[in-house]
Amino acid sequence: MPATTAAAEKLLLQMVDDYTTREISPEDMPMDAAGDFPAGFMQKLTDTGFLGIMLPQEFGGAGFGPEVTAAALNHIARGNASTAVTLEGHFKTIDQILKFGTPALQKQLLPSANDRIFAFSMTEASGGSNPMGISSTATREGDHWVITGDKIMITNGGLAQVYCVLVKTAPKELSVFVVDQDMPGFSFGKREDFIGLRGTPVGEIVMDHIVVDNDHLLGKLGDGGIIGDSAHDDARILMGAVLTGIMEHELKIATDYAKERKAGDKPLTELQVTHRKVADIAMRKETTKLLYQRAAQLKAAGQPYSEEAAMAKAHGSRAAVSAGDDTLQILAGYGYSREYPVEHLIRDARAMEIAEGTVEKMRSAIATAEFNK
Amino acid sequence: MSKPELWVIAERRLDHIEPTTQQLITKAKHLAGDQFHTVAILFEATTDHLENELTAYGPDEIRVVRDDRFPTATDAEHADALEQLVKKYQPNSILFGATITGRSIAPRLQAKLQTGLTADCLDLRFDDETLVATKPSYGDNIMCEIICPDHRPQMATVRPNTFVAEAADGAAEVTTDTVTFHPVDRLQVKAAVPVVNTATTVGDASRVVALGRGAASEATIDTATKLAEKLGGRIGVSRPLTDQERFTHDDQIGQSGNTIHPELILNFGISGAVQYLVGMQDSQTIVAVNSDKDAPIFDVADYGYVGDAPAFMSALLAQFV
Amino acid sequence: MKIVVCIKQVPETNDVTIDPVTHNLDRRGLAGVMNPFDKNAIELALHLKDTATDDVQVALLTMGPDDYAESLREGMAMGADEGYLLSDRAFAGADTLATGYVIAQALKKVGDADLILFGRQAVDADTGQVGPIVAEFLHQPQITYAASLRLSGKNEVTAERLLEDTKQTLVAQLPAVVSVRSELNTPRYPTPRNIQLSFEKPLTIWHHDDLDLDDSRLGQAGSPTIVTKVYAPKPVKRELTPLTGTPSEAASQLIKALKGRQLI
C-alpha cells in the first residue's frame, strides 16, 4: 500500500472517530427511543461527506477501498449501529451500480450518490428468501421498460431517493433496474416498526407503471440473481463490521462497569464469573473482526469473498447477541434497565441474524461452499 | 550588597487590583525570607492609587509607575515598559498571575529578555537563588518541576487562587519610577466593557454550580441559574441530568463529559459516582451539599453540608449580596 | 491575503503516566493528533477564506518530527492550501523560547503573512506562550485569546478578547499575531474526499540549513528552562469543613469561608 494511502486511511478513521464521538454517539439512545433519526442529522452526515466514502473520486467521492470502508462502519457502530447500517445499505447499492451499471448509467447516477441515499430492494410480501416468488415485473414497451410492483422491508426505504429493484422481466427471469423517487408512478408505503436498529428507516416502495430507459437496467437481463447475491455479499462484510462495532461497545460497557463496581467487598474485576464473560465477549468481537477484515481484504484483492462474508455476518450476529447478553448479566439490574444501552444493543444485533439473509441461509451457503471444495 | 529583588507584577481588574496579585505578594513574602527584597510593580494612571490595595499585604516595596495610557495599554506596550524596569533593576525573579493578561504579557517580555518562563504554576520554591516552579501538564495529569538556571530574571505565571492572600505587618515602602511609554499605534483597545461572566462553557468557567439527581427540579435549576450568574460561572450537570432537554452532553461533568478544574465548584444533590469525581476532583475549592451523609462527594470536598440541597441553594442565593 | 496558522501535534490522550523506573514520561503507544485548540485557529482562517472578497491563501506551519506531517495533512483536508514542516534534530528539546525563535525565522522565510494564527494553547504543555513570543520576535502586535475576529477594513482586523471580567474590543493593523479561544467557532470536519485530495497539496519540509538560524538559540542549547523532575500529582488531601445548622446558617458559614479564599 502506498504511504499516502495508509496516511489517508488513518486520517479518515481519525475523522470518523471524532465525528462519531461528537455527533453520532449522542444520538444513539434518542434514535432508539424515537424510532427515527433527529431532524438535520442525515443532512449533517451528508455535508460531512460520509455518503461518498467508497464512491470513486471520478464521481466526486473519496474513493476509499473496501477494507477501510468497512473499518469506518465498524468505528461508527461503536457509537450508533443504526447510522452504520444506513450507510451499509447505501454503500452496497453503489457497489452494484459500479459492478453492473454501464459507464453511461454510472456517469448519470453516481455523482448524486454524494448527497442522495441509494437503496437495494429485493423483498416482497410474497417472497423474501425465495427471489423467484416475487411478483414485481418490468415489461418492455418499445425502447422503455414499465415497472410495477411493491417492495417491502427495504433498508433506507423512505429515506433513500434512488432504488435498485429486483423484478421479473420474464416468468423465470430476474433482472435489476434503477428507479428514482422523482419518477412518475413512484410512491412510498408503510414504514416498519422494528424492535432494533430503530434509527435505520426500513420501509416500502410502491411502483405503479414507472417508465425507465433501457440504460436503467443493471447488467444484462436475467442477471438479477447474480446481482442480488453480490449485493448480499457486499452487505455482509459491512454488517460484520457493524457487529464488531456493537461488540466493542458492549465490551467497553462491560469493562467500564466491572472496573467501577464491587460485589460484596470484592471488585467485579477479581471475580472469575466476570473474567469468563469479559473474555468471551472479547473473543467474539475479535473473531468477527478478523472475519470481516479477511472478507474485505479478499474483495480488495479481487478474490472471491462470498463465503467469508457470510461467515462474518453469521458468526458476528449471534456473537453480538450473546456478547450483549453477557454484558447485560454483568450489569445485572442496570443492564436490564432502558436507561443503559445494553438491551438496545442486543435488539440491534438481533436484526442482523435476519437481514441480508438469515443465519440459517448463511450456514447453507457456507456448507455448500465447503462441499464444493 | 543589596538583596536581589523578587517581583510581583500587579494586575488591574477594572478599577481594582486583581486578587491574584495579592495572593502572589503573600507567596513572594514567604519565599523571600531574608534573602530577597519583594517588590510589587504597579502601572497605573496618574490619578489612580491602586497601591492602597497592596500595602496591607506587606511587600517590602511597591514601585509605582504612572501614565494615563496604562489602563488601556496593550500587551506589547506593557511588556516594553516592564523591560525598561527589568534593565534598570535586574530582578532575580518575576511573578505574574496566570490570568489572560498575565499569560499574554509575560511571554512577550520573556522574548524581549531571552529568558525562561514557566506557565500556570501551582507551586514555587527557591533552591538558593534558583526558582523551582511546579507546573502541571497534560491537563493536570503530570507535574513538572522547571528551573531556569543560567538566565535572569526567572519568570513564572501562577494560577489564580493557588495561594491565599494574607494581610501582613510591616509598612510597604511606596516608591515611584518612570519609564518611556512607547505607543504601538497598530493595535488599539477600542472598547472595554465589564461583563460579569466571560465563561461560555462549563469547561471554561472558573466557578461552576453542579447539579445532580438531588437538585433537578425546574425551580431548583432556576435557583442554580441565578446563583451561577451571581458567581460569574456556569451550570454543569452529572450524567443523569443530561437526559433533560435543557442540558446537553456539553454541560456534563465527568469521565464521559468534561474534565474541569475550576477555582470553585458547588455540588448540589450529587452523590459522587467515580466517573463524576474524576471529572472534577482537581477543582481548587469543592463544596458539597447532599442529604446523604455517606455520599462519596464528601470525601473530596473542602466544605460540606448534609441536608436538603434546594433549601441550601435558596438560602445561599438570598444571602448573596 | 495570506494567513499562516501555526499548529502543534500532541498525544491523543492526556492520560499519560510516569515510568516508575526511569521517572520519565511514558509516551509509548500514544498516537499523535493535532492539538484540538489549533483546529479553531484553522477554522477561523478558513472562515475568512470562505467569506473574504479577496483571495485568501491559508498555510499551516508546524515544528516537530516528520510524523507531524499528519496534522498538516489533516489541516489541509479541512481546507488549508499548503503546509510547512520544520523538522530537524537540531530543533529537538526546545522550550517555548527556542520554539518561538525557529517558528519566527520560518515565518520570515514564508514571507508576507498578513495574519499569523495560533490556538489558545497546546493541550500537552498548556503554556500558550509561543504566540506572543513569535509576535515579539516579528515585532508585530498581538491579540491573545480572541473570542471573535473579523476583517474590518483593508489590512485591518477587529477582535474581541475576554479578560476575566472585561470584554475588550481591539483593532489591529495587519500584519498581526492572533491566538484564539476555542469558543470562537466549531471547527469543520475534513470530508473523506478532501482527506484524499489533501495529499495532492504542497507540503514543504524545511530542515536546519533551509532557514537562517543562530545555532545557539536552537533546541536544548537555546532553551533557558530545564525540566528537572516529572511526577504524578499526589491526590489533594482535603480536610472537610462541615457546614452546620439550618440551611441559612450553613450558607452564611460558606459565604464567609469563600470570602476568605477571595472566591467571592
Side-chain angles (χ1 to χ4, degrees):
Chain A
M1 189 190 290
T4 52
T5 310
E9 293 190 357
K10 187 175 168 191
L11 266 182
L12 175 76
L13 293 181
Q14 200 175 298
M15 181 284 257
V16 166
D17 280 347
D18 215 15
Y19 192 86
T20 300
T21 308
R22 287 167 201 234
E23 318 281 343
I24 301 181
S25 286
E27 302 297 348
D28 184 46
M29 297 282 279
M31 275 162 75
D32 180 63
D36 206 346
F37 45 81
F41 180 79
M42 281 313 304
Q43 193 56 50
K44 270 203 298 186
L45 211 62
T46 305
D47 292 344
T48 315
F50 275 85
L51 303 192
I53 288 178
M54 49 69 75
L55 186 68
Q57 291 189 18
E58 56 181 308
F59 303 118
F64 282 102
E67 292 155 284
V68 74
T69 299
L73 294 197
N74 177 166
H75 288 216
I76 293 168
R78 286 171 187 168
N80 185 325
S82 287
T83 303
V85 168
T86 285
L87 291 172
E88 170 264 309
H90 177 64
F91 291 161
K92 79 164 175 205
T93 311
I94 292 175
D95 249 336
Q96 306 326 308
I97 296 171
L98 286 169
K99 283 182 192 171
F100 299 102
T102 61
L105 181 69
Q106 291 178 0
K107 213 175 148 194
Q108 182 196 334
L109 275 179
L110 290 180
S112 78
N114 283 298
D115 39 39
R116 298 203 300 172
I117 302 230
F118 285 37
F120 201 98
S121 63
M122 289 190 243
T123 307
E124 296 184 10
S126 55
S129 44
N130 169 25
M132 276 302 170
I134 66 168
S135 54
S136 295
T137 57
T139 319
R140 192 191 283 273
E141 284 183 15
D143 291 346
H144 304 294
W145 290 88
V146 177
I147 302 174
T148 293
D150 192 346
K151 293 279 173 191
I152 60 167
M153 297 203 185
I154 307 163
T155 300
N156 296 334
L159 169 68
Q161 291 167 278
V162 177
Y163 292 80
C164 289
V165 292
L166 183 75
V167 297
K168 279 187 174 161
T169 38
K172 295 268 172 204
E173 184 182 79
L174 293 170
S175 303
V176 175
F177 286 87
V178 185
V179 299
D180 194 304
Q181 69 161 15
D182 296 330
M183 292 175 171
F186 184 104
S187 60
F188 291 118
K190 160 181 170 228
R191 176 158 175 182
E192 300 296 336
D193 185 14
F194 281 155
I195 63 162
L197 293 177
R198 290 176 51 75
T200 310
V202 176
E204 175 185 17
I205 61 169
V206 180
M207 300 173 288
D208 180 11
H209 294 86
I210 296 179
V211 179
V212 297
D213 289 338
N214 197 38
D215 66 1
H216 277 55
L217 173 69
L218 275 195
K220 302 187 303 291
L221 287 175
D223 280 353
I226 298 168
I227 299 171
D229 287 348
S230 163
H232 277 318
D233 290 345
D234 291 324
R236 288 166 191 166
I237 297 178
L238 299 177
M239 282 199 167
V242 173
L243 289 159
T244 304
I246 291 177
M247 283 184 271
E248 285 165 346
H249 192 178
E250 290 164 341
L251 186 59
K252 182 166 190 321
I253 294 169
T255 51
D256 281 354
Y257 187 85
K259 283 193 266 188
E260 270 165 25
R261 291 285 169 157
K262 288 182 176 175
D265 48 6
K266 235 182 169 185
L268 286 189
T269 48
E270 289 175 19
L271 299 181
Q272 222 165 37
V273 304
T274 318
H275 293 177
R276 195 192 154 133
K277 285 186 168 55
V278 167
D280 282 350
I281 298 167
M283 287 190 287
R284 292 185 189 108
K285 181 264 295 174
E286 205 58 29
T287 46
T288 307
K289 187 175 200 163
L290 290 168
L291 282 169
Y292 94 70
Q293 287 179 339
R294 171 79 183 139
Q297 192 182 34
L298 290 168
K299 178 177 171 179
Q303 310 275 327
Y305 56 94
S306 183
E307 186 183 358
E308 289 76 8
M311 287 179 179
K313 193 187 91 90
H315 174 76
S317 52
R318 180 39 47 174
V321 171
S322 305
D325 200 45
D326 280 343
T327 305
L328 190 154
Q329 197 66 15
I330 291 173
L331 269 69
Y334 293 107
Y336 199 61
S337 161
R338 292 189 65 168
E339 225 179 278
Y340 283 75
V342 187
E343 58 86 27
H344 108 71
L345 295 181
I346 298 175
R347 288 188 274 112
D348 286 358
R350 191 66 180 80
M352 283 172 271
E353 291 195 285
I354 301 162
E356 299 294 348
T358 61
V359 284
E360 291 78 10
K361 212 182 150 192
M362 220 111 313
R363 284 195 162 74
S364 299
I366 295 165
T368 307
E370 292 298 327
F371 294 143
N372 290 339
K373 278 180 186 170
Chain B
M1 205 176 102
S2 62
K3 287 192 272 188
E5 293 192 353
L6 168 57
W7 286 9
V8 172
I9 308 304
E11 188 184 325
R12 179 191 193 97
R13 185 158 175 171
L14 298 177
D15 295 330
H16 293 281
I17 287 290
E18 155 70 36
T20 312
T21 303
Q22 295 154 348
Q23 296 156 13
L24 285 180
I25 290 172
T26 298
K27 182 63 182 177
K29 277 178 66 73
H30 290 165
L31 289 170
D34 292 334
Q35 196 184 355
F36 294 101
H37 182 66
T38 53
V39 183
I41 303 290
L42 173 64
F43 293 145
E44 62 184 4
T46 47
T47 52
D48 283 340
H49 286 288
L50 291 170
E51 59 276 16
N52 294 341
E53 296 182 25
L54 299 176
T55 45
Y57 299 92
D60 295 325
E61 183 178 344
I62 302 170
R63 197 170 287 152
V64 184
V65 183
R66 292 197 175 87
D67 189 304
D68 286 336
R69 289 168 289 192
F70 276 130
T72 56
T74 59
D75 301 341
E77 291 163 341
H78 269 125
D80 175 73
L82 281 169
E83 185 191 19
Q84 295 174 49
L85 291 183
V86 170
K87 294 226 157 116
K88 184 167 171 186
Y89 293 97
Q90 306 285 331
N92 170 281
S93 296
I94 307 178
L95 307 180
F96 290 81
T99 56
I100 299 281
T101 307
R103 294 185 75 161
S104 303
I105 297 170
R108 188 116 200 175
L109 178 63
Q110 172 202 12
K112 285 176 183 291
L113 302 172
Q114 300 270 326
T115 187
L117 166 66
T118 304
D120 202 27
C121 297
L122 292 179
D123 203 3
L124 301 168
R125 69 166 198 272
F126 275 97
D127 283 352
D128 265 334
E129 289 195 2
T130 302
L131 179 68
V132 182
T134 302
K135 143 179 223 322
S137 287
Y138 296 92
D140 292 5
N141 281 323
I142 293 291
M143 294 291 155
C144 303
E145 287 190 0
I146 296 178
I147 59 168
C148 171
D150 303 322
H151 294 70
R152 293 292 180 270
Q154 308 167 88
M155 295 173 59
T157 64
V158 181
R159 192 176 289 184
N161 293 304
T162 299
F163 304 112
V164 177
E166 292 160 11
D169 298 334
E173 184 192 357
V174 178
T175 60
T176 57
D177 212 317
T178 52
V179 298
T180 309
F181 192 99
H182 295 116
V184 179
D185 296 330
R186 285 168 58 201
L187 181 66
Q188 300 286 334
V189 178
K190 288 286 180 200
V193 187
V195 277
V196 181
N197 191 358
T198 57
T200 51
T201 66
V202 67
D204 191 42
S206 60
R207 314 288 148 93
V208 172
V209 177
L211 304 177
R213 257 193 238 262
S217 74
E218 279 295 309
T220 306
I221 294 169
D222 283 345
T223 311
T225 308
K226 288 183 190 132
L227 203 54
E229 271 169 27
K230 294 254 188 190
L231 284 165
R234 298 277 300 185
I235 292 189
V237 297
S238 64
R239 208 205 68 80
L241 265 70
T242 56
D243 293 341
Q244 291 208 9
E245 210 156 291
R246 57 197 289 175
F247 298 117
T248 70
H249 181 75
D250 291 343
D251 303 311
Q252 188 195 334
I253 299 164
Q255 205 162 35
S256 54
N258 294 281
T259 299
I260 61 172
H261 36 74
E263 293 170 6
L264 172 65
I265 181 168
L266 306 172
N267 299 281
F268 294 112
I270 290 174
S271 60
V274 179
Q275 315 91 289
Y276 178 81
L277 295 182
V278 299
M280 52 62 76
Q281 63 195 2
D282 292 333
S283 305
Q284 284 175 353
T285 296
I286 299 178
V287 179
V289 180
N290 200 293
S291 53
D292 173 8
K293 69 173 172 44
D294 296 322
I297 188 81
F298 290 119
D299 297 340
V300 302
D302 299 288
Y303 300 96
Y305 180 65
V306 180
D308 183 49
F312 182 92
M313 286 165 77
S314 302
L316 190 62
L317 184 64
Q319 291 180 38
F320 242 96
V321 187
Chain C
M1 181 180 184
K2 186 151 148 192
I3 304 176
V4 181
V5 187
C6 300
I7 67 172
K8 185 180 183 186
Q9 192 159 303
V10 297
E12 188 180 19
T13 160
N14 272 336
D15 289 338
V16 287
T17 50
I18 306 285
D19 186 308
V21 180
T22 63
H23 301 288
N24 285 328
L25 214 53
D26 190 351
R27 295 204 202 200
R28 279 172 303 179
L30 287 186
V33 295
M34 194 196 310
N35 177 38
F37 292 133
D38 298 344
K39 292 185 181 175
N40 299 104
I42 295 176
E43 179 59 39
L44 172 60
L46 296 177
H47 176 74
L48 294 174
K49 183 182 171 79
D50 292 345
T51 52
T53 44
D54 298 343
D55 180 46
V56 175
Q57 285 292 307
V58 177
L60 307 176
L61 186 146
T62 191
M63 182 180 107
D66 287 351
D67 69 344
Y68 277 35
E70 287 174 22
S71 291
L72 292 174
R73 288 291 174 204
E74 185 179 359
M76 289 191 274
M78 287 172 73
D81 299 295
E82 59 175 333
Y84 293 91
L85 172 63
L86 316 177
S87 174
D88 201 291
R89 292 181 75 88
F91 306 157
D95 71 1
T96 54
L97 188 72
T99 303
Y101 171 66
V102 175
I103 289 176
Q105 292 304 100
L107 285 165
K108 286 180 192 165
K109 178 156 176 167
V110 171
D112 301 327
D114 300 289
L115 196 55
I116 297 165
L117 300 181
F118 286 82
R120 62 178 293 170
Q121 69 204 52
V123 296
D124 53 353
D126 282 328
T127 77
Q129 288 172 189
V130 176
I133 289 170
V134 167
E136 176 60 33
F137 285 153
L138 297 178
H139 307 293
Q140 290 188 9
Q142 72 184 40
I143 300 172
T144 52
Y145 303 94
S148 74
L149 182 138
R150 63 187 171 86
L151 295 172
S152 50
K154 188 144 182 67
N155 285 320
E156 184 191 282
V157 293
T158 298
E160 285 180 333
R161 177 162 93 145
L162 297 174
L163 307 182
E164 276 69 16
D165 51 11
T166 306
K167 184 164 79 180
Q168 285 184 331
T169 306
L170 294 144
V171 178
Q173 306 305 311
L174 301 180
V177 174
V178 176
S179 75
V180 303
R181 274 168 68 113
S182 51
E183 299 80 12
L184 174 85
N185 54 36
T186 306
R188 66 193 66 186
Y189 294 93
T191 67
R193 180 177 167 84
N194 285 341
I195 287 172
Q196 296 276 38
L197 298 182
S198 74
F199 287 85
E200 288 160 28
K201 293 180 178 176
L203 192 157
T204 307
I205 301 178
W206 281 337
H207 302 292
H208 173 275
D209 292 351
D210 296 311
L211 298 172
D212 179 15
L213 297 168
D214 169 354
D215 286 357
S216 69
R217 297 178 66 179
L218 302 180
Q220 239 155 14
S223 299
T225 59
I226 299 173
V227 178
T228 52
K229 191 175 162 190
V230 181
Y231 60 98
K234 292 167 204 78
V236 186
K237 278 241 171 65
R238 295 179 193 266
E239 196 113 340
L240 182 72
T241 304
L243 307 167
T244 55
T246 63
S248 177
E249 288 162 2
S252 74
Q253 291 159 23
L254 180 63
I255 285 178
K256 192 163 168 244
L258 295 182
K259 278 187 177 152
R261 290 191 178 207
Q262 291 187 307
L263 287 165
I264 50 177

